Amino acid sequence: MAQILLHGTLHVTIFEVEALSNPHRARGSAHKFIRKVLEGIEDTVGVGRGTTKIYVTIDLEKARLGRTRRISNEPVNPRWYESFHLYCAHMAADVIFNVKIDNRIGASLIGRAYLPVLELLDGEEIDKWLQICNDKREPIGDSKIHVKLQYFDVSKDPNWGRGVRSTKYPGVPYTFFSQRQGCKVTLYQDAHPHRCWEDIFDAINNARYLIYIAGWSVYTKITLVRDTNHLNPGGRAELDHRENTSHCLCLKKGKRRTPVDGLPTGEVTLGQLLKRKASEGVRVLMLVWDDRTSVGLLKRDGLMATHDKETANYFHDSDVQCVLCARNPDDSGGIVHDLKVSTMFTHHQKILVVDHEMPNKRSQRRRIVSYVGGIDLCHGRYDTQYHSLFRTLDTVHQDDFHQPNFEGASIKKGGPRQLWHDIHSRLEGPIAWDVLYNFEQRWRKQGGRNLLLNLKDLPDIIIPPSPVMFPEDRETWNVQLFRSIDGGGAFGFPNTPEAAAQAGLVSGKDQIIDRSIQDAYINAIRRAKNFIYIENQYFLGSSYCWKPEGIKPENIGALHLIPKELALKVVNKIEAGERFTIYVVLPMWPEGVPESASVQAILDWQRRTMEMMYTGIIQVIQAKGIEANPKDYLTFFCLGNREVKLEGEYEPKDHPEPDTDYIQAQEARRFMIYVHTKMMIVDDEYIIVGSANINQRSMDGARDSEIAMGAYQPHHLSTRELARGQIHGFRMALWYEHLGALDDAFQRPESLECVRKVNHIAERYWGMYSSDDDPEEDLPGHLLSYPIRVAGDGAVMELPGMEFFPDTRARVLSGKSDYLPPILTT
């Protein structure tokens, strides 16, 4: 049967299975008491199959959309009564229900039931019993499954392609957190000079009652305020250069701060600051990911150390309560390639919650303020829009040299340091309390003692959740919080699938899952009218659509829909004869030694994702008979810098080993700017900022724990006229940082004029960056064309003469890893 595109949402309820015949468990028809005794003995002694645990998966062809919980001790008539709200963007002939029995390792298939996709297309509800069949589609006895389905095509969605239609837009549906009104959002690009780390310093320093931090890494030795007015000898070169460079923005003057413990704020470390606040009686609670990845298979691939043990030891016997918490996505304890899977995932949220003074500063009452985004409070994150490679090594980076891409790199051997681009946000109003509630759920699950402040005991001090902006204020925000997390990382999730569905959660393998970050991205993409701008550390997924070249796509498991949704958006716009452009900014390669197996594996998944998207776009271009470059619709970039040497620069005592990537990059005076951002802007009216990457680890919900916010300004929507609020201003500021200039064409990113201008500038900058000639001037901007070309069939190819990234032995287009399981690199 021919496959048909299902692009929309699928509502599915799985009720029960009747007369199940399980060839793997011959005792299924035995008396229930005898069966439970035998299975109990098997569970106790660890032999045999143990207790019968049956579950059902919902698949579109070989792509899994959902699964029920496991039902024990009901091998003949298991009942679930679980409902699912599933987003789909799949080619399929059938919806397939796989009935499986869970084993200690893996699972055994009992049978499959099939519902032809054709029966769903009219949008009517289907409620029926389906025969359960074997591999030959022959009925297995009288076994059947009772299901209910209804399909809603995206074209019938009233929000499809219409943006945030009005100020009454209710937010993303079927989520744990509702949209909050009357909020205030501050957006930060990089740690400085837009005051991100300075604001965080002030927020911590001025807290009186609580400081809650959750992080992938929190490093006690970093300084948040780095006063450039107190430079060491030789550090004047960068400031003098900025003052004499016309395209640079002026440094924003920081306010004078009271010394902390007798030290200037620029010398106070994060650890010292937190200890002092705790000694003053402020409740300081920290949840830091317990990094258990120090195993030989991964360690030699250069995964970055998080200083987790060092941080915990620093706060030992202090008033700061620092808890190291491992990420345990489920209770399966699965083993993949001799690695315990449950230790391979991370707590990846980066949040800060504090009590804060009222805006008028005269009231003694306090409010809750939260920070959410991509910037970890750890080493290597401090950077500015200038992203200097060498000129700050004896000033703001003298104690914060970060370069994990070269073995043996150190400040004693000199730059280039790894440059860092990131985005963060400050949330005020009711949304700040949702971030607080997320922390409280996580602390109650893994924090140990209940040390959380009961804010209900402080009604005269901490004001309850309330708007901080009037509805008529043109700068007000509507904000919604999203997460990737499950019951293994958060306390208080419902115990039953019915209650979970009502709370906007989904069922997993013995866990309830919050997968709303992926839902937020899908909804925003489907609403998009004109353009999408993405910056992200990773870009891979929708593996069910990848070409089966050297792989079996069904074995990869990177099933999230975001790349496919983006491709379908462009395809639909071309078919409708409308302009649409997607800009994607990525790092040149994932952080780590670029030739390593893990980095090369991720680059391969990225290439396959790009190829899937370009193939669909080229097919519709050809079908419409249009003369067009696919990069006019979808275009990828990376960031880098190259700078000339200035008089007075830091001179290292030692030098890198000869004939290494390190010495080549040092001599060429260039290196990539690492894009750590996790952000998407849609039509200049809606923005998502958080900790989640565009990969399966971040979007799954049962892998890495993540947090993000989605926000818009109801008085700055792209309805009758273009959106010109703070989101538009933020995108323009980012483009100025990346391109080193502004242009009127940038006001309309969807236009052919804009995308071609941006592509032309980025190609020119790539030529200057990759040239073998010594630079005569600093790179005018940082946006580089990603070094690929697109063939006529959509295949992603390397540029002529560009097999390797500059100054490396790492291939731009790699092959898959033969020993790293995809679950770790997707």
Side-chain angles (χ1 to χ4, degrees):
M1 189 182 298
Q3 294 188 349
I4 299 168
L5 176 64
L6 279 185
H7 187 203
T9 56
L10 194 59
H11 292 189
V12 180
T13 300
I14 296 176
F15 296 107
E16 61 183 317
V17 169
E18 187 176 275
L20 186 61
S21 177
N22 178 9
H24 304 284
R25 300 302 296 264
R27 73 170 79 95
S29 59
H31 189 279
K32 188 171 183 178
F33 173 76
I34 297 174
R35 186 178 70 248
K36 290 185 70 173
V37 169
L38 292 173
E39 292 175 352
I41 293 172
E42 291 176 350
D43 282 335
T44 301
V45 300
V47 297
R49 297 182 181 272
T51 304
T52 303
K53 298 175 182 177
I54 296 173
Y55 65 96
V56 178
T57 68
I58 307 163
D59 295 10
L60 284 176
E61 298 305 323
K62 295 180 179 180
R64 178 172 299 177
L65 271 66
R67 60 164 292 165
T68 68
R69 69 192 187 282
R70 300 181 300 181
I71 297 292
S72 301
N73 298 315
E74 289 293 344
V76 178
N77 183 211
R79 302 184 179 195
W80 292 273
Y81 285 79
E82 290 187 39
S83 296
F84 302 83
H85 170 82
L86 304 170
Y87 294 100
C88 51
H90 302 71
M91 296 293 296
D94 297 286
V95 181
I96 303 172
F97 300 90
N98 295 286
V99 183
K100 295 187 173 185
I101 183 168
D102 194 46
N103 302 320
R104 287 191 178 86
I105 298 178
S108 302
L109 177 68
I110 297 175
R112 296 186 174 97
Y114 300 85
L115 180 76
V117 165
L118 280 171
E119 295 185 25
L120 295 169
L121 298 183
D122 61 6
E124 296 297 317
E125 184 179 277
I126 296 172
D127 188 331
K128 66 192 304 184
W129 288 87
L130 301 174
Q131 292 256 220
I132 297 175
C133 303
N134 60 22
D135 289 340
K136 298 179 181 179
R137 291 207 177 195
E138 299 168 342
I140 301 175
D142 296 325
S143 298
K144 53 188 177 180
I145 184 171
H146 184 195
V147 298
K148 181 170 70 175
L149 302 90
Q150 189 170 14
Y151 170 64
F152 299 88
D153 191 82
V154 74
S155 63
K156 304 217 171 87
D157 183 345
N159 295 314
W160 167 250
R162 299 182 66 181
V164 180
R165 297 168 59 195
S166 76
T167 58
K168 297 180 180 179
Y169 172 67
V172 178
Y174 306 104
T175 58
F176 187 81
F177 291 104
S178 300
Q179 180 177 273
R180 310 300 182 189
Q181 298 179 343
C183 300
K184 182 180 179 181
V185 175
T186 303
L187 299 169
Y188 301 101
Q189 62 189 92
D190 303 317
H192 192 76
H194 300 277
R195 298 187 53 82
C196 180
W197 273 17
E198 292 186 15
D199 283 356
I200 287 175
F201 177 94
D202 289 340
I204 294 173
N205 194 35
N206 295 325
R208 295 183 184 175
Y209 295 92
L210 66 91
I211 299 168
Y212 295 165
I213 296 174
W216 174 83
S217 174
V218 179
Y219 192 37
T220 60
K221 294 182 180 180
I222 63 165
T223 54
L224 297 175
V225 178
R226 306 187 185 186
D227 190 354
T228 52
N229 292 315
H230 296 85
L231 302 176
N232 289 343
R236 200 72 236 173
E238 172 67 357
L239 287 184
D240 291 342
H241 180 67
R242 290 177 188 172
E243 292 168 1
N244 295 317
T245 304
S246 60
H247 74 261
C248 287
L249 295 173
C250 293
L251 280 174
K252 189 179 291 185
K253 294 293 184 182
K255 62 186 178 182
R256 295 288 179 182
R257 291 177 175 78
T258 304
V260 177
D261 295 336
L263 296 172
T265 54
E267 298 179 20
V268 177
T269 67
L270 176 61
Q272 291 170 335
L273 179 62
L274 292 173
K275 275 187 176 181
R276 182 177 66 80
K277 296 305 295 184
S279 70
E280 293 173 358
V282 178
R283 186 64 51 86
V284 181
L285 306 181
M286 299 173 60
L287 291 170
V288 178
W289 173 52
D290 186 1
D291 184 358
R292 299 180 179 177
T293 61
S294 297
V295 294
L297 179 61
L298 294 178
K299 193 172 183 180
R300 67 167 179 262
D301 264 341
L303 289 187
M304 188 168 52
T306 60
H307 302 286
D308 54 328
K309 302 297 189 296
E310 186 177 344
T311 297
N313 291 337
Y314 179 86
F315 290 119
H316 184 66
D317 288 335
S318 77
D319 295 318
V320 176
Q321 304 298 317
C322 179
V323 176
L324 299 185
C325 44
R327 178 69 178 112
N328 298 307
D330 55 45
D331 298 325
S332 63
I335 304 296
V336 179
H337 288 219
D338 296 324
L339 297 172
K340 190 173 183 182
V341 171
S342 63
T343 65
M344 291 298 104
F345 302 119
T346 76
H347 282 305
H348 201 238
Q349 295 182 353
K350 303 118 177 23
I351 62 173
L352 167 67
V353 183
V354 297
D355 69 284
H356 198 278
E357 64 187 3
M358 299 296 291
N360 61 22
K361 299 185 180 181
R362 292 189 297 271
S363 171
Q364 294 301 308
R365 302 192 72 188
R366 311 285 289 180
R367 61 196 174 108
I368 297 298
V369 171
S370 298
Y371 291 79
V372 169
I375 305 181
D376 298 281
L377 296 175
C378 69
H379 68 302
R381 274 29 177 195
Y382 186 94
D383 214 338
T384 73
Q385 70 215 35
Y386 308 103
H387 300 293
S388 178
L389 293 159
F390 300 94
R391 296 169 186 161
T392 58
L393 296 184
D394 56 351
T395 58
V396 295
H397 290 106
Q398 62 182 342
D399 297 318
D400 190 10
F401 180 84
H402 181 62
Q403 182 48 278
N405 302 275
F406 303 138
E407 293 184 4
S410 73
I411 194 161
K412 293 181 180 180
K413 297 179 182 178
R417 67 181 182 89
Q418 178 172 274
L419 312 176
W420 201 269
H421 175 63
D422 221 327
I423 289 173
H424 217 68
S425 69
R426 169 184 166 125
L427 306 178
E428 302 173 58
I431 187 65
W433 285 77
D434 289 338
V435 182
L436 169 64
Y437 186 68
N438 164 77
F439 183 90
E440 290 175 336
Q441 282 191 306
R442 288 193 53 194
W443 184 271
R444 289 191 174 101
K445 187 69 179 186
Q446 292 189 298
R449 290 186 297 158
N450 185 12
L451 299 173
L452 295 164
L453 280 186
N454 186 353
L455 299 185
K456 293 180 180 179
D457 294 339
L458 303 171
D460 297 329
I461 299 173
I462 306 292
I463 63 170
S466 54
V468 295
M469 306 287 280
F470 292 110
E472 62 272 17
D473 192 321
R474 290 189 59 81
E475 296 311 311
T476 189
W477 290 77
N478 292 355
V479 192
Q480 192 171 5
L481 197 68
F482 309 111
R483 292 186 297 185
S484 293
I485 200 167
D486 61 21
F491 176 82
F493 279 5
N495 293 321
T496 66
E498 296 87 355
Q502 292 176 358
L505 305 171
V506 297
S507 299
K509 185 178 182 181
D510 296 334
Q511 287 287 8
I512 302 299
I513 299 170
D514 186 339
R515 195 178 291 156
S516 53
I517 295 180
Q518 182 181 171
D519 294 355
Y521 270 85
I522 292 170
N523 274 266
I525 294 165
R526 290 183 177 184
R527 289 195 312 268
K529 293 189 295 185
N530 300 314
F531 79 93
I532 291 173
Y533 176 63
I534 292 172
E535 293 184 4
N536 206 282
Q537 183 182 2
Y538 296 100
F539 191 82
L540 60 94
S542 305
S543 60
Y544 57 89
C545 296
W546 293 355
K547 295 177 182 177
E549 296 174 352
I551 62 167
K552 290 183 177 180
E554 63 269 23
N555 293 340
I556 304 304
L559 298 175
H560 74 87
L561 271 59
I562 294 169
K564 184 63 175 178
E565 288 284 352
L566 290 166
L568 287 173
K569 172 60 71 171
V570 173
V571 167
N572 277 273
K573 287 292 188 176
I574 294 174
E575 289 177 338
E578 300 174 9
R579 277 295 309 161
F580 197 90
T581 309
I582 298 172
Y583 303 81
V584 183
V585 180
L586 306 167
M588 204 172 292
W589 65 79
E591 187 178 47
V593 177
E595 301 92 333
S596 65
S598 57
V599 169
Q600 290 288 297
I602 294 168
L603 288 172
D604 183 50
W605 307 140
Q606 177 180 285
R607 189 263 307 172
R608 293 175 188 272
T609 302
M610 292 177 176
E611 199 165 89
M612 174 272 293
M613 298 174 73
Y614 277 126
T615 298
I617 292 170
I618 286 176
Q619 287 173 350
V620 72
I621 287 174
Q622 293 174 344
K624 294 287 288 185
I626 301 170
E627 290 289 333
N629 185 334
K631 287 190 174 184
D632 291 342
Y633 299 94
L634 171 67
T635 182
F636 292 91
F637 306 94
C638 53
L639 300 180
N641 197 12
R642 193 171 192 182
E643 58 190 20
V644 297
K645 188 169 184 177
L646 297 181
E647 185 179 350
E649 271 188 17
Y650 167 75
E651 292 291 344
K653 298 178 181 178
D654 301 320
H655 298 282
E657 295 295 320
D659 194 31
T660 60
D661 296 357
Y662 192 1
I663 190 65
Q664 290 183 56
Q666 189 175 96
E667 292 174 348
R669 304 277 301 182
R670 64 188 169 198
F671 200 69
M672 71 168 172
I673 300 171
Y674 195 64
V675 178
H676 193 255
T677 315
K678 299 91 169 57
M679 181 208 70
M680 182 170 77
I681 290 175
V682 178
D683 296 331
D684 277 348
E685 70 175 3
Y686 189 84
I687 187 169
I688 296 175
V689 171
S691 67
N693 297 310
I694 298 180
N695 60 7
Q696 192 64 25
R697 292 180 65 111
S698 287
M699 295 295 167
D700 187 274
R703 297 188 183 183
D704 291 351
S705 66
E706 308 283 4
I707 195 166
M709 68 86 178
Y712 65 96
Q713 293 185 280
H715 296 291
H716 295 282
L717 301 180
S718 181
T719 49
R720 293 188 180 91
E721 56 188 28
L722 298 175
R724 288 297 180 260
Q726 292 180 41
I727 297 173
H728 167 74
F730 188 66
R731 179 184 62 80
M732 294 295 284
L734 287 168
W735 283 29
Y736 182 85
E737 174 185 342
H738 298 335
L739 291 162
L742 293 177
D743 192 285
D744 287 343
F746 300 168
Q747 302 284 341
R748 299 295 299 259
E750 75 278 10
S751 69
L752 202 57
E753 178 189 8
C754 180
V755 67
R756 288 183 173 174
K757 185 162 288 189
V758 172
N759 279 338
H760 175 73
I761 294 171
E763 288 166 4
R764 182 164 66 90
Y765 289 172
W766 173 260
M768 297 173 67
Y769 177 87
S770 60
S771 171
D772 291 334
D773 298 331
D774 292 335
E776 297 180 356
E777 61 175 341
D778 288 356
L779 204 59
H782 302 138
L783 191 73
L784 313 176
S785 240
Y786 201 83
I788 57 168
R789 59 188 176 92
V790 183
D793 61 352
V796 171
M797 317 283 285
E798 63 193 37
L799 293 175
M802 193 55 62
E803 182 180 359
F804 305 99
F805 290 110
D807 309 319
T808 77
R809 300 170 179 82
R811 295 182 181 277
V812 174
L813 300 180
S814 178
K816 67 183 182 68
S817 170
D818 291 327
Y819 74 90
L820 281 175
I823 195 170
L824 299 181
T825 54
T826 57

